[in-house]
Amino acid sequence: MEISGARILVVGATGVLGGLAACALAERGAQLALAGRNQVRLAALARDLGGPPARCFEACDLDQCSGLGPWAERALSGLEGVLVTVGAAGFGTVENVSNAMAGHLLTVNALCPMAVLRGAAPVVADKGFLLAITGGVHDRAASAAGAAGTAGAAGTETADDLAGTADYTASKAALSGWLGVLSEELAPRSVTVLDIRSPRLDTGFTERSLTGRPPALPPGADARQAVHSLLDGITSI
């Protein structure tokens, strides 16, 4: 896909990763619509990018999330792509994470992106794209579970990284599974569904945890470079 001139909605534009993506897309000539959860940062970003359409939303209001795609399609007179970078971190062993917090993580990390893409799917152009970032934590969890279930397995190298991430991991795994089915459903229209399983990035995401403390983690990869690699992937669609 040619990014220059493409009409693209960025949801989560007031986060670190979403802001970087919006700026990189603008540099490559995309026509943007921006959606974010922080009104002040959203207004500043829109001003910096020349005044594209912008809308503030609440991640826990799923009907509001579903309305973002149709709004962007109207505002831009068409829609070729959607990027969803919304997410929240939360940590703690399973007995120490409340049901309310587990539900909140599932809503922000899975149900919100699902709602955005559910609303965008009917209005995105044929041969367009829908993208969400799930990260690789659920892949590591699956590998660890497989190793633990192997006869004689004594443990895995990922155990320390995974401890205290069960509810966060579950929310990302739910989104990833949903994206896989969505990809099959939209295949007849040649709409590409991208599940971006990037490594941990240096965005300060884990330091903004809603609950608990993150496990000891290696340094994150460069977020700006990751964004440009992501956009390079879109151009290859």
Side-chain angles (χ1 to χ4, degrees):
M1 168 178 284
E2 177 60 50
I3 288 179
S4 180
R7 294 162 293 189
I8 297 174
L9 167 64
V10 180
V11 180
T14 54
V16 175
L17 196 60
L20 288 172
C23 292
L25 284 165
E27 289 172 1
R28 298 195 187 197
Q31 299 180 49
L32 298 180
L34 307 176
R37 294 185 283 169
N38 184 299
Q39 183 66 63
V40 174
R41 290 203 296 266
L42 183 64
L45 179 63
R47 183 174 60 249
D48 291 344
L49 296 181
R55 173 172 285 193
C56 197
F57 75 100
E58 170 52 57
C60 292
D61 186 334
L62 300 183
D63 288 337
Q64 194 177 73
C65 295
S66 291
L68 292 175
W71 159 75
E73 192 273 338
R74 293 191 300 270
L76 298 174
S77 299
L79 190 65
E80 277 77 52
V82 179
L83 281 77
V84 184
T85 65
V86 177
F91 304 100
T93 55
V94 292
E95 66 268 24
N96 289 325
V97 175
S98 70
N99 289 328
M101 179 54 66
H104 185 73
L105 290 171
L106 186 64
T107 298
V108 175
N109 291 332
L111 298 181
C112 166
M114 290 177 191
V116 171
L117 299 181
R118 192 189 314 278
V123 298
V124 72
D126 292 355
K127 300 183 181 180
F129 72 89
L130 302 174
L131 178 156
I133 296 175
T134 63
V137 64
H138 50 293
D139 290 328
R140 297 200 304 275
S143 296
T150 301
T156 72
E157 294 179 357
T158 60
D160 289 341
D161 288 352
L162 291 170
T165 69
D167 290 283
Y168 173 75
T169 297
S171 66
K172 290 296 189 178
L175 175 58
S176 184
W178 187 89
L179 291 170
V181 177
L182 179 65
S183 179
E184 294 296 323
E185 292 181 357
L186 296 182
R189 293 176 48 208
S190 298
V191 174
T192 300
V193 177
L194 297 168
D195 176 354
I196 303 300
R197 302 185 183 188
S198 62
R200 194 176 76 87
L201 302 176
D202 185 17
T203 63
F205 179 70
T206 56
E207 286 72 29
R208 298 189 294 274
S209 172
L210 298 179
T211 186
R213 294 183 178 180
L217 297 168
D222 182 77
R224 193 177 302 275
Q225 182 177 351
V227 164
H228 283 285
S229 294
L230 184 155
L231 299 193
D232 290 341
I234 291 173
T235 61
S236 69
I237 295 173

